[in-house]
């Protein structure tokens, strides 16, 4: 979530956010104060680390910018954050005692913000204690749980809901050439791993999710074909309940209507997978290729992408795809 | 025998009258699962899929049917309420198929579950299937065949993929468990491994993991310390970048020990034969089988 949105949400929650022009601030202390969800323990973690005061104007801070260790306190959701935990952080960070009271108040506000907004991470990446003993958030950050958007109207009002093409479960943009249309996250990872082993990378994962495959197939292919930086579309499905024959017929018809579009490599498994693949194979549609295994589909897609990028060099490529028909 | 479920399991479907609920119930009944009723608030007294009675509440359904398992097939906005209702009715085994439950809700549930009489599998999971006995959830029955290999997976699509391939080669399974792809889930790899270790009909276990979190690392420690049965692992996501959620809410690398390479190394160190691609996985799994049969 971008800085302006985070700043707006923090301000509405009463957190002391600095104006973008921070020339008036004279920091005595600089630190990072974060609230995050620990997936291993199902507890909330409040953590903090000091930066040197000179980090005030450093453009990019990371873990190596801190001075000393990160200190943290685990908070049970059923119990909530207690003052003693914040005092423990304040003591560990050598925060002057006359600033503790406001620090405790700020930590509680940050924790409450995190819970009330269904956040995954909430942080004051740069939190300054000024020489006039005021706490000021210079760099607010928040990541909201997308599963909770529906019950976060305040977040939606500020940032807008995340958008996916209709019917598509998830779109993940990546830096390669090949758009992977899949049904399931595990299959998606298996597919991009196979592409990487074959020497290329996905430009995106378009995940149709695990249900109602036939409703999502054509919108997903339409979407994948228009993705930027994409040379080939690779469709990899394990179909649990939809016959691959039906998927194949829909794919063949779609490809015949999009002969000028990107090449499409198809790999099926599951319900009538072999029959579906056979239909694709026999269809003889230009730019439509079938594969039996994921690795084979990946090699085919990588080769086809290379041909699309450098048509003249493909014939003498040492690792060209061996069994094009 | 199998783990978690068998022919005696009596199943409720919470959300039976919805579109997904109807479809899941049809599939479970077709597989031979003993579905005894459904729960949909305000539809109590109606007849659901294939004549199964529908109740307004889980308590009344349990009283009438003696159900001992529940499949949750309701929208994400109602799923947490449905899980708490099943826990309240002392249902021992709850499988939540629904995806999209907020993480904080799952964390609260996770904190509460040890104080209850219930086990939750999922959410965002395909469920559990013991071939020839019972199916709780949406695992397609034809991918599995009865045998002695237990499979546990975070990913549903990979669970199907691996089970289907093994079945085609005549290697059957004792139970298939999809634990779910969210960062916080009801039942971990370790808990499923414990069950497989204790199950006399399971001779070996396949663990299908991925990037993100530390469940595979915990599983490695458990296997090294406690398991007598051979365990094989497939870890996907070796090419996934840091800080990008790879479809599953839980498939996110934020720390170095959450990468596929780190997990493969730890699993191998624990003596688990581990691959990061399907061809390598099948090669190492099938190569071992003759000597173990």
């Amino acid at each position: 979530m971008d800085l302006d949105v985070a700043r707006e949400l923090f301000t509405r929650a009463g957190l002391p956010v600095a104006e973008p022009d921070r020339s008036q601030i004279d920091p005595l202390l600089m630190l990072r104060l974060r609230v995050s969800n620990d997936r291993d323990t199902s507890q909330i973690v409040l953590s903090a680390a000091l930066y040197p005061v000179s980090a005030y104007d450093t453009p990019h801070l990371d873990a190596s910018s801190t001075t000393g260790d990160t200190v943290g306190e685990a908070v049970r959701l059923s119990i909530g954050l207690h003052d003693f935990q914040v005092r423990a952080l304040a003591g560990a960070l050598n925060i002057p005692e006359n600033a503790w009271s406001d620090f405790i108040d700020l930590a509680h506000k940050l924790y409450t913000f995190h819970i009330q907004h269904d956040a995954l991470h909430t942080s004051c990446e740069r939190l300054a204690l000024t020489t006039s003993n005021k706490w000021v958030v210079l760099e607010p950050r928040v990541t909201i749980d997308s599963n909770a958007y529906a019950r976060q109207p305040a977040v939606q009002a500020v940032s807008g809901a995340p958008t996916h093409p209709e019917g598509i479960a998830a779109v993940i943009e990546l830096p390669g050439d090949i758009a992977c249309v899949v049904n399931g996250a595990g299959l998606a990872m298996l597919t991009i791993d196979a592409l990487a082993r074959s020497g290329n990378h996905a430009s995106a994962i378009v995940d149709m999710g695990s249900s109602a495959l036939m409703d999502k197939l054509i919108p997903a292919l339409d979407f994948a074909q228009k993705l930027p930086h994409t040379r080939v579309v690779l469709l990899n499905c394990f179909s649990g309940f939809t016959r691959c024959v039906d998927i194949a017929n829909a794919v063949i018809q779609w490809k015949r209507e999009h002969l000028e579009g990107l090449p499409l490599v198809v790999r099926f498994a599951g319900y009538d997978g072999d029959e579906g693949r056979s239909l694709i194979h026999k269809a003889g549609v230009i730019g439509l290729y079938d594969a039996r295994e994921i690795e084979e589909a990946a090699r085919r897609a990588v080769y086809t992408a290379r041909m699309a990028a450098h048509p003249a060099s493909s014939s003498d490529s040492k690792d060209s795809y061996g069994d094009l028909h | 025998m199998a783990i978690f479920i068998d022919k005696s399991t009596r199943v409720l479907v919470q959300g039976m009258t919805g579109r997904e609920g109807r479809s899941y119930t049809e599939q479970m009944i077709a597989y031979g699962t003993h579905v005894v009723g459904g729960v949909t608030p305000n539809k109590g007294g109606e007849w659901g899929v294939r004549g199964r009675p529908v109740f307004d509440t889980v308590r009344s359904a349990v009283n009438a049917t003696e159900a001992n398992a529940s499949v949750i097939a309701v929208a994400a906005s109602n799923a947490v309420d449905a899980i708490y209702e099943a826990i309240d009715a002392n249902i021992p085994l709850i499988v939540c198929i629904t995806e999209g439950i907020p993480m904080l809700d799952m964390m609260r549930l996770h904190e509460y579950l040890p104080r209850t009489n219930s086990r939750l599998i999922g959410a965002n999971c395909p469920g559990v299937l013991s071939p020839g006995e019972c199916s709780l959830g949406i695992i397609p029955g034809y991918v599995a065949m009865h045998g002695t290999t237990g499979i546990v997976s975070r990913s549903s699509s990979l669970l199907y993929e691996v089970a289907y391939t093994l079945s085609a080669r005549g290697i059957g399974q004792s139970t298939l468990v999809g634990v779910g792809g969210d960062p916080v889930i009801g039942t971990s790899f370790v808990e499923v491994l414990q069950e497989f270790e204790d199950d006399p009909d399971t001779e070996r276990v396949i663990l299908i993991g991925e990037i993100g979190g530390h469940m595979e690392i915990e599983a490695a420690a458990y296997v090294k310390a406690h398991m007598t049965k051979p365990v094989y692992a497939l870890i996907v996501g070796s090419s996934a970048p840091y800080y990008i959620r790879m479809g599953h809410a839980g498939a996110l690398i934020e720390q170095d020990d959450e990468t596929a390479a780190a997990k493969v190394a730890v699993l191998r160190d624990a003596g688990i034969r581990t691959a990061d691609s399907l061809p390598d996985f099948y090669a190492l799994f099938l190569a071992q089988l003759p000597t173990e049969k």
Side-chain angles (χ1 to χ4, degrees):
Chain A
M1 193 162 278
D2 70 40
L3 202 54
D4 288 341
V5 172
R7 184 174 281 121
E8 173 72 21
L9 291 171
F10 270 49
T11 303
R12 287 183 183 198
L15 283 152
V17 182
E19 292 301 314
D21 172 17
R22 45 173 115 127
S23 55
Q24 303 301 314
I25 294 168
D26 183 15
L28 178 72
L29 267 185
M30 280 286 297
L31 61 141
R32 184 185 75 197
L33 182 64
R34 288 180 175 166
V35 184
S36 55
N37 301 340
D38 183 341
R39 58 191 288 177
D40 295 327
T41 63
S42 286
Q43 295 185 356
I44 305 291
V45 177
L46 178 71
S47 65
L50 281 175
Y51 291 127
V53 173
S54 59
Y56 172 63
D57 280 329
T58 307
H60 299 290
L61 298 177
D62 58 28
S64 65
S65 313
T66 58
T67 59
D69 293 336
T70 298
V71 290
E73 288 286 317
V75 183
R76 280 185 184 275
L77 274 163
S78 59
I79 296 170
L81 179 67
H82 281 263
D83 290 359
F84 78 89
Q85 295 178 294
V86 189
R87 285 197 298 271
L89 293 188
L93 296 171
N94 290 320
I95 292 170
E97 287 194 18
N98 60 355
W100 282 22
S101 174
D102 286 348
F103 184 64
I104 291 168
D105 181 56
L106 187 145
H108 277 288
K109 280 185 176 153
L110 197 69
Y111 178 85
T112 304
F113 176 96
H114 181 85
I115 303 297
Q116 289 183 341
H117 289 79
D118 275 303
L120 301 175
H121 302 279
T122 305
S123 73
C124 307
E125 281 301 290
R126 291 170 214 237
L127 174 64
L129 176 64
T130 66
T131 47
S132 52
N133 217 29
K134 298 281 182 202
W135 289 100
V136 183
V137 182
L138 302 176
E139 187 181 338
R141 293 281 177 192
V142 61
T143 306
I144 305 292
D145 184 352
S146 58
N147 285 350
Y149 261 85
R151 67 184 187 193
Q152 290 294 341
V155 174
Q156 288 179 39
V158 176
S159 69
T163 54
H164 292 318
E166 194 172 344
I168 297 172
V171 176
I172 302 156
E173 291 178 21
L174 295 165
D177 292 338
I178 297 160
C180 300
V181 179
V182 296
N183 62 333
L187 204 57
M189 285 183 268
L190 205 60
T191 309
I192 65 166
D193 291 350
L195 286 176
R197 279 191 292 277
S198 297
N200 204 322
H201 295 281
S203 60
I205 294 168
V206 181
D207 188 355
M208 298 181 286
S210 55
S211 62
L213 193 51
M214 289 301 284
D215 295 344
K216 298 170 183 172
L217 180 67
I218 300 305
L221 291 175
D222 283 338
F223 179 78
Q225 180 162 257
K226 292 173 188 155
L227 283 166
H229 319 299
T230 300
R231 301 183 194 280
V232 177
V233 178
L234 168 55
L235 171 65
N236 185 11
C237 288
F238 187 99
S239 180
F241 297 102
T242 304
R243 295 181 67 205
C244 289
V245 169
D246 295 335
I247 303 172
N249 281 323
V251 167
I252 291 164
Q253 185 181 337
W254 180 85
K255 188 63 193 147
R256 282 188 175 134
E257 292 165 3
H258 296 84
L259 289 175
E260 302 300 316
L262 297 178
L264 173 62
V265 179
V266 180
R267 181 262 175 178
F268 294 136
Y271 191 2
D272 283 348
D274 286 343
E275 290 83 347
R277 187 184 65 81
S278 177
L279 278 181
I280 299 277
H281 189 80
K282 290 174 185 165
V285 179
I286 293 168
L288 178 61
Y289 308 104
D290 66 285
R292 188 184 297 274
E293 306 295 345
I294 292 173
E295 303 287 327
E296 179 192 351
R299 286 195 299 273
R300 168 79 74 174
V302 168
Y303 177 74
T304 308
R306 191 179 301 144
M307 283 190 55
H310 308 289
S313 66
S314 59
S315 59
D316 56 21
S317 172
K318 282 182 181 172
D319 55 348
S320 63
Y321 190 84
D323 62 347
L324 286 172
H325 56 244
Chain B
M1 252 189 89
I3 67 168
F4 298 135
I5 54 172
D6 56 28
K7 280 185 176 152
S8 69
T9 306
R10 299 171 63 81
V11 182
L12 279 183
V13 180
Q14 290 175 251
M16 181 191 271
T17 58
R19 193 176 81 148
E20 274 81 17
R22 260 201 300 273
S23 162
Y24 303 167
T25 309
E26 288 279 6
Q27 289 164 32
M28 285 188 278
I29 292 173
Y31 195 71
T33 304
H34 198 23
V35 178
V36 294
V39 177
T40 303
N42 302 320
K43 294 205 172 175
E46 296 183 9
W47 297 103
V49 176
R50 297 190 184 266
R52 266 57 173 188
V54 178
F55 301 86
D56 280 324
T57 67
V58 179
R59 282 187 208 172
S60 58
V62 170
N63 284 339
T65 66
E66 297 181 354
N68 57 9
S70 181
V71 172
I72 292 179
V74 305
S77 54
N78 301 325
V80 174
D81 182 57
I83 295 170
Y84 280 114
E85 189 181 359
I87 292 171
D88 173 75
N90 281 315
I91 299 249
L93 181 63
I94 304 162
V95 170
C96 184
I97 310 299
T98 307
E99 64 181 307
I101 296 179
M103 185 175 185
L104 286 175
D105 288 349
M106 285 307 299
M107 290 169 67
R108 289 185 189 95
L109 255 171
H110 198 256
E111 189 182 336
Y112 178 55
L113 274 166
R115 288 176 278 166
T116 73
N117 299 318
S118 300
R119 169 182 297 288
L120 171 68
I121 294 178
N124 188 16
C125 80
V128 186
L129 185 142
S130 293
E133 303 220 13
C134 180
S135 170
L136 239 66
I138 56 171
I139 299 172
Y142 69 85
V143 306
M145 67 176 272
H146 181 68
T148 58
T149 300
I151 309 182
V152 57
S153 174
R154 282 167 71 178
S155 155
S156 54
S157 53
L158 294 184
L159 178 65
Y160 308 163
E161 181 88 39
V162 169
Y164 183 69
T165 301
L166 297 186
S167 298
R169 292 169 182 253
I171 301 162
Q173 306 93 42
S174 53
T175 302
L176 281 57
V177 185
V179 293
D182 282 352
V184 179
I185 51 178
T187 296
S188 68
F189 275 156
V190 167
E191 291 169 281
V192 179
L193 289 172
Q194 286 169 339
E195 295 284 331
F196 277 134
E197 174 69 8
D198 293 341
D199 175 34
D201 286 347
T202 298
E203 294 179 7
R204 65 191 73 79
V205 182
I206 293 172
L207 181 151
I208 305 171
E210 60 196 38
I211 56 164
H214 300 97
M215 251 195 351
E216 293 81 359
I217 308 289
E218 291 158 11
Y222 174 78
V223 170
K224 194 171 185 177
H226 301 292
M227 277 199 80
T228 59
K229 297 174 182 177
V231 179
Y232 305 81
L234 167 65
I235 303 295
V236 299
S238 58
S239 64
Y242 278 57
Y243 306 119
I244 295 182
R245 222 167 272 279
M246 302 304 291
H248 281 155
L252 171 72
I253 304 172
E254 293 180 297
Q255 301 168 22
D256 292 341
D257 61 357
E258 295 179 293
T259 63
K263 293 184 181 190
V264 167
V266 172
L267 288 159
R268 284 183 179 158
D269 185 52
I272 299 169
R273 280 153 283 213
T274 306
D276 64 0
S277 77
L278 262 189
D280 289 352
F281 173 75
Y282 290 135
L284 71 84
F285 181 73
L286 297 171
Q288 295 293 328
L289 271 193
T291 56
E292 285 168 0
K293 267 188 174 174

